[in-house]
Amino acid sequence: MRISVKLPVVMIGTSMLCVLVVTVSSYLVASTIIRGQGDERLMALADSHADAMADHFAELRTSLVASAGGVTVRTALAEFASGWDAYGEAPAAAVVENYITRNPEPAETRDAFDKSGRKPYEKVHKTYHALLRDQMHDGGLSDILLVSRDGNVLYSVRKQDNLALNVTDPAIAATPFGGVVNAALNGEALKVFASDFAPDPLLGNRPEAYLATPVIIGSKVMGALVFGAPKAGLDRVLSGVSGLGETGNKYLLNEDGLVQNDSPRTAENDRLASQFLTAGYVPGRADLPRLGEFVGGDGSAFSVATSRFEVDGRPYAVVITQAVGEVLAPLQALRIWIIPIALACGLSVAVLAFLFSRQLCNRLKTLAHAMTRLAKGENDAPLPEMRNVDEIDDMGQAVLVFRDTALERLRLQAEQHQVQVEREQKVTAMQQLIADFRDEIGRVLEQVGGTGNRMQVLAQNLTRISSETTDGAN
């Protein structure tokens, strides 16, 4: 393949390869940066919400302890216990009959009913129910319950099916509610006992969580104050989705990896969902990943960031999720732009490379053509213009020197030939002169020879005449 073809191909191919390498490298670097920024954003959200949840639990516990130590709860507990005893032999049945069976309100709003009667319990209920109901609503609690020292559930704002039960009953004690209340009845002052959300068999296996603390007067445990964990309040802490786009979500996991909140972004109830437990995100384990991914039920991949915190020594974690595709959405936008930009740059570079290589090839072809003519002896062949700016000009200068040398050699050869011709002409003239001289000498010698012969004949004649004369005289 000739250089005039090879050079443009190589330069265009190299330029396109460079553009491709730069484009791919830029895309990979941008992907790493965007993914890193997304992970940092999710971790920051997880940390801030973990702090918010820790504060939420701390405020809830503070409220519980403060209420248990207040005059209202202490007085109410004592008076409800007295009213309970005043019912006689079957106080539990009487309470259930008056506040559940005969309650005209639907089960969800039984707290709206405030029976007024002449029984001591009914009078006490009339006195404290509105106060405790307001406290429940203000705190976003699911219920407030008062339990006597011997385990009787004396009062419930909600009037649910756990009212009038006795938590010392083995069947009741085995439930999350019974376990927490019994722990509080046997606990120390200012100590809070809590359960995570779990199916409560006393309430139709509805997920419930409880916090309980002993109510102590002096050094004597008078009973326990129980808060039904605030579902709405807990969900509210994790309800905001600012910075999480369309697919982001927030979850609170308990020690076993079960979801404790219900996200407003999902159609089903998330409480007690186990998708994170299945994926290995368990706050109770030491190897809880700080960052990771998991695949949702629909097969979508989600980025995950976790932040662990503790409440009374029990580990919890806030989990922030967002679809990987949405995290990398800026990269997708970049991909849309980077491809035409790369093509435009590649085409521009290719055109420039082609023009530049074409210019170089034209100069090389012109120089090569001139050298070919010089090689054939055409010393008058024109050379390309030289500006002394690159190696091709240096090559042209070298060819110019070769041409000038060839012309000088021809000039010298011509001069030598002329000298040789003149020398040969001089020799020929000399030879002709010598020949002419020889011929002239020959003629002279012939003439001299003829004259000599005549003189010899004349001398002989004179000699003969002299001899004859002499003889005559004698």
Side-chain angles (χ1 to χ4, degrees):
M1 184 182 293
R2 299 184 66 83
I3 292 179
S4 59
V5 176
K6 187 187 301 182
L7 184 60
V9 171
V10 171
M11 292 191 68
I12 293 174
T14 302
S15 62
M16 294 299 291
L17 179 61
C18 291
V19 170
L20 178 62
V21 170
V22 171
T23 301
V24 173
S25 300
S26 301
Y27 181 82
L28 293 176
V29 170
S31 175
T32 301
I33 293 174
I34 292 174
R35 187 59 184 270
Q37 292 175 342
D39 290 341
E40 290 178 0
R41 176 173 52 81
L42 294 182
M43 285 192 295
L45 286 171
D47 291 339
S48 63
H49 284 80
D51 292 339
M53 286 306 309
D55 293 341
H56 174 73
F57 284 129
E59 291 173 2
L60 191 59
R61 280 164 164 71
T62 300
S63 176
L64 177 64
V65 171
S67 296
V71 174
T72 300
V73 170
R74 289 182 178 182
T75 305
L77 181 60
E79 293 185 9
F80 270 116
S82 177
W84 177 278
D85 292 338
Y87 270 124
E89 295 182 356
V95 170
V96 170
E97 177 70 18
N98 291 329
Y99 292 95
I100 295 180
T101 305
R102 295 183 179 180
N103 193 321
E105 299 290 335
E108 295 79 10
T109 58
R110 286 175 182 165
D111 58 298
F113 176 63
D114 189 3
K115 178 180 174 61
S116 177
R118 292 175 294 177
K119 296 291 184 180
Y121 183 95
E122 296 166 2
K123 293 179 179 179
V124 173
H125 189 279
K126 182 66 175 178
T127 301
Y128 292 102
H129 179 66
L131 293 175
L132 295 174
R133 181 176 57 193
D134 290 344
Q135 181 180 356
M136 180 191 73
H137 288 307
D138 291 343
L141 304 173
S142 63
D143 202 355
I144 295 179
L145 304 99
L146 296 175
V147 183
S148 67
R149 179 69 186 89
D150 53 5
N152 292 313
V153 181
L154 304 175
Y155 168 80
S156 165
V157 173
R158 289 289 189 189
K159 305 299 184 292
Q160 301 181 102
D161 293 341
N162 52 10
L163 176 63
L165 298 178
N166 190 290
V167 297
T168 62
D169 184 306
I172 307 302
T175 65
F177 173 74
V180 169
V181 176
N182 278 305
L185 292 174
N186 294 286
E188 301 175 353
L190 306 180
K191 181 71 174 178
V192 175
F193 301 88
S195 69
D196 295 326
F197 280 100
D200 189 346
L202 303 178
L203 302 179
N205 286 323
R206 187 173 69 237
E208 294 290 345
Y210 300 96
L211 298 93
T213 190
V215 178
I216 299 176
I217 299 178
S219 60
K220 183 179 179 180
V221 176
M222 302 301 297
L225 173 64
V226 183
F227 281 178
K231 296 179 182 178
L234 186 149
D235 295 343
R236 192 180 307 114
V237 174
L238 298 177
S239 63
V241 291
S242 176
L244 289 177
E246 298 296 326
T247 62
N249 225 329
K250 305 171 186 176
Y251 300 94
L252 174 66
L253 303 186
N254 69 359
E255 182 177 6
D256 299 321
L258 299 178
V259 177
Q260 299 295 289
N261 66 304
D262 181 24
S263 171
R265 279 199 156 178
T266 55
E268 67 280 1
N269 193 326
D270 299 301
R271 223 177 304 275
L272 301 183
S274 60
Q275 69 267 29
F276 294 104
L277 170 61
T278 304
Y281 293 91
V282 182
R285 298 178 186 172
D287 60 346
L288 175 67
R290 181 77 165 113
L291 285 170
E293 289 187 7
F294 87 102
V295 179
D298 60 352
S300 301
F302 287 85
S303 293
V304 179
T306 67
S307 182
R308 195 198 320 251
F309 65 98
E310 291 188 356
V311 178
D312 293 336
R314 301 179 64 180
Y316 293 85
V318 170
V319 176
I320 306 295
T321 67
Q322 190 174 15
V324 173
E326 189 172 30
V327 173
L328 299 180
L331 190 62
Q332 295 174 355
L334 176 63
R335 187 187 303 142
I336 294 174
W337 284 102
I338 200 170
I339 292 176
I341 291 174
L343 290 176
C345 291
L347 182 61
S348 300
V349 172
V351 170
L352 291 176
F354 175 78
L355 294 177
F356 180 70
S357 61
R358 186 67 177 270
Q359 182 185 20
L360 289 179
C361 289
N362 288 338
R363 293 174 64 196
L364 288 173
K365 287 172 65 177
T366 303
L367 184 60
H369 181 67
M371 292 174 67
T372 301
R373 293 183 62 183
L374 288 175
K376 293 179 179 180
E378 299 178 16
N379 295 320
D380 58 344
L383 294 178
E385 180 183 358
M386 288 167 286
R387 294 165 292 177
N388 297 323
V389 295
D390 55 22
E391 289 77 2
I392 295 178
D393 288 337
D394 294 341
M395 293 171 60
Q397 290 290 350
V399 172
L400 180 61
V401 171
F402 292 153
R403 188 190 68 176
D404 292 345
T405 302
L407 292 174
E408 182 65 18
R409 185 175 66 253
L410 291 176
R411 187 184 66 77
L412 291 176
Q413 289 177 351
E415 290 180 355
Q416 290 177 355
H417 178 71
Q418 183 64 31
V419 171
Q420 182 67 27
V421 170
E422 292 178 356
R423 183 183 296 114
E424 290 177 355
Q425 289 176 349
K426 288 180 180 180
V427 169
T428 301
M430 184 63 69
Q431 289 176 345
Q432 184 64 41
L433 182 61
I434 293 172
D436 293 343
F437 180 74
R438 185 183 295 114
D439 292 342
E440 184 66 24
I441 292 298
R443 286 195 299 272
V444 170
L445 289 177
E446 287 180 358
Q447 292 177 359
V448 171
T451 303
N453 289 333
R454 287 193 300 271
M455 290 180 68
Q456 185 177 7
V457 172
L458 179 61
Q460 288 175 354
N461 290 329
L462 290 175
T463 300
R464 183 178 55 81
I465 294 173
S466 175
S467 293
E468 289 177 356
T469 304
T470 302
D471 289 341
N474 293 322

